[in-house]
Amino acid sequence: AYRVKSAYYEYYYLRRSLAVTEENLVLLRGLEEAARTKYESGIATQAAVLRFQVDIGRVEDQLRSLRDLQGPLAGKLNAAMNRAVEAPLAWPEALPEAEAEFAEEELLEALGSSNPDLAALEAEIEKTRKERELAKKNYYPDFMLGVTYMDTRESSMPGTMSENDLLEGMVGITLPIQVEKYRAAEREAYFAYQAAVQARAEQEKSLGADLRVTIYEYRDAVRKIDLYRNGLLPKAEQALQVVQQEFATGEGQSLDLIDAVRMLLEFQLEYERAKVDKQLKIAEIERITGRPAGGVKTES
């Protein structure tokens, strides 16, 4: 489930990155055309036109790289869903956004009972514990009881015993005389048990540390979403509008306009990245804990 979710979210991010970059490329081409018109009219310099053309080339190169990435990411998602790698795969239209509802300390406390890796190590501990108990029983004598029957084939009636048939009882006992061998087996079983206990304790500590880091990264992604959505993006859009107006009236510089477009593109991509990272961290929390982290809602 984690592989499918992570591949899907990255595929969605690629789609949004392409859309955002294409929109900014259209904006840059429009600005370059305006700068060229102003240059032909003698209002702007050739350097201003060249700056826009250089930045257009840079964004076009980004778009080529993003488009080349579609095949590998689609193949990764197909493989995670057990489909043919080259099978057609449409772009995701929306991001299934889960809102995590959890208490950090509760997740850490429940980690021991819900994580599948810890459950496997717990089974290993139980296995080595039983092997240790069996090793201790090597010091006990083994008893054997048995019965042997021999058919002499002298009976005239099949299925009945002849007076010449043999029926013998056996009693055997094996004494534990190889004491050093038994002690070595017991020590081996003891150390295997201690190693299993230690491995589980270390794994639980490692998972707990991973869980704390992942919860921090989730909260950091939530903070960034709010920062870009309600703070940086509106300001970047406003700054671009102001610089565009100044450039149209001949008061602004082309470099300021290019910087404003770059900043807007960066913030838009960071906002999309934060939205995807939020979902990735929820999926990681679910993978570590082995339990759902919250409900799901769809957000375009």
Side-chain angles (χ1 to χ4, degrees):
Y2 173 74
R3 287 196 299 270
V4 172
K5 288 181 180 180
S6 60
Y8 179 88
Y9 296 150
E10 291 297 343
Y11 196 45
Y12 171 84
Y13 176 67
L14 176 62
R15 171 184 175 267
R16 290 299 304 143
S17 298
L18 278 167
V20 168
T21 306
E22 286 171 352
E23 290 172 3
N24 279 267
L25 180 59
V26 171
L27 175 61
L28 278 171
R29 285 172 174 167
L31 294 173
E32 187 269 341
E33 184 177 352
R36 192 159 16 94
T37 301
K38 293 178 67 174
Y39 168 66
E40 292 171 355
S41 303
I43 302 175
T45 64
Q46 186 179 13
V49 178
L50 292 174
R51 291 189 189 106
F52 281 113
Q53 292 174 346
V54 168
D55 218 52
I56 287 171
R58 180 183 62 84
V59 176
E60 287 176 339
D61 181 64
Q62 289 180 353
L63 270 177
R64 283 191 291 269
S65 297
L66 290 172
R67 287 167 180 158
D68 288 343
L69 191 55
Q70 182 181 2
L73 287 188
K76 185 177 180 180
L77 180 54
N78 276 326
M81 296 187 296
N82 198 28
R83 303 174 73 224
V85 173
E86 301 297 332
L89 193 63
W91 285 115
E93 293 299 326
L95 180 67
E97 184 177 346
E99 293 293 341
E101 299 174 0
F102 57 81
E104 181 174 344
E105 295 306 319
E106 289 181 4
L107 285 182
L108 290 168
E109 290 176 4
L111 190 61
S113 60
S114 59
N115 179 268
D117 294 332
L118 293 180
L121 290 173
E122 194 67 45
E124 181 67 19
I125 291 174
E126 182 63 16
K127 170 177 170 288
T128 55
R129 184 186 67 78
K130 291 181 178 179
E131 289 175 346
R132 185 183 175 193
E133 291 177 356
L134 288 173
K136 290 180 179 180
K137 293 181 179 179
N138 287 331
Y139 294 101
Y140 302 154
D142 289 335
F143 295 94
M144 180 183 68
L145 297 176
V147 176
T148 300
Y149 168 71
M150 182 178 293
D151 185 358
T152 62
R153 300 292 180 181
E154 294 181 359
S155 174
S156 59
M157 298 179 63
T160 62
M161 290 184 63
S162 168
E163 61 182 10
N164 295 321
D165 289 351
L166 299 179
L167 184 64
E168 297 179 346
M170 295 183 296
V171 177
I173 182 171
T174 302
L175 297 177
I177 58 175
Q178 297 178 321
V179 178
E180 288 302 320
K181 176 182 177 181
Y182 303 146
R183 285 177 179 171
E186 184 183 5
R187 286 195 299 269
E188 182 181 355
Y190 170 77
F191 288 127
Y193 173 76
Q194 291 296 324
V197 172
Q198 183 66 23
R200 188 199 179 283
E202 291 178 356
Q203 181 71 353
E204 186 169 10
K205 289 180 182 178
S206 177
L207 288 170
D210 292 343
L211 181 58
R212 290 183 184 275
V213 171
T214 305
I215 290 174
Y216 157 75
E217 291 173 341
Y218 165 78
R219 290 173 175 164
D220 187 56
V222 172
R223 178 187 60 80
K224 287 181 178 178
I225 290 172
D226 180 68
L227 173 65
Y228 286 106
R229 177 189 290 161
N230 302 318
L232 297 182
L233 271 175
K235 291 178 181 177
E237 292 170 354
Q238 183 180 6
L240 177 59
Q241 292 175 0
V242 171
V243 176
Q244 276 185 284
Q245 293 173 358
E246 291 176 349
F247 183 77
T249 58
E251 298 177 1
Q253 300 295 321
S254 59
L255 284 177
D256 294 335
L257 191 51
I258 291 173
D259 286 341
V261 175
R262 286 181 181 177
M263 182 172 62
L264 179 61
L265 174 60
E266 178 185 348
F267 288 172
Q268 288 173 330
L269 292 177
E270 288 293 334
Y271 172 61
E272 297 295 338
R273 182 72 253 176
K275 287 168 60 180
V276 168
D277 284 345
K278 175 185 173 183
Q279 303 313 309
L280 282 173
K281 298 311 168 185
I282 291 176
E284 287 184 23
I285 291 172
E286 293 175 339
R287 178 182 61 82
I288 294 172
T289 61
R291 55 192 292 184
V296 178
K297 70 177 183 179
T298 302
E299 181 176 290
S300 60

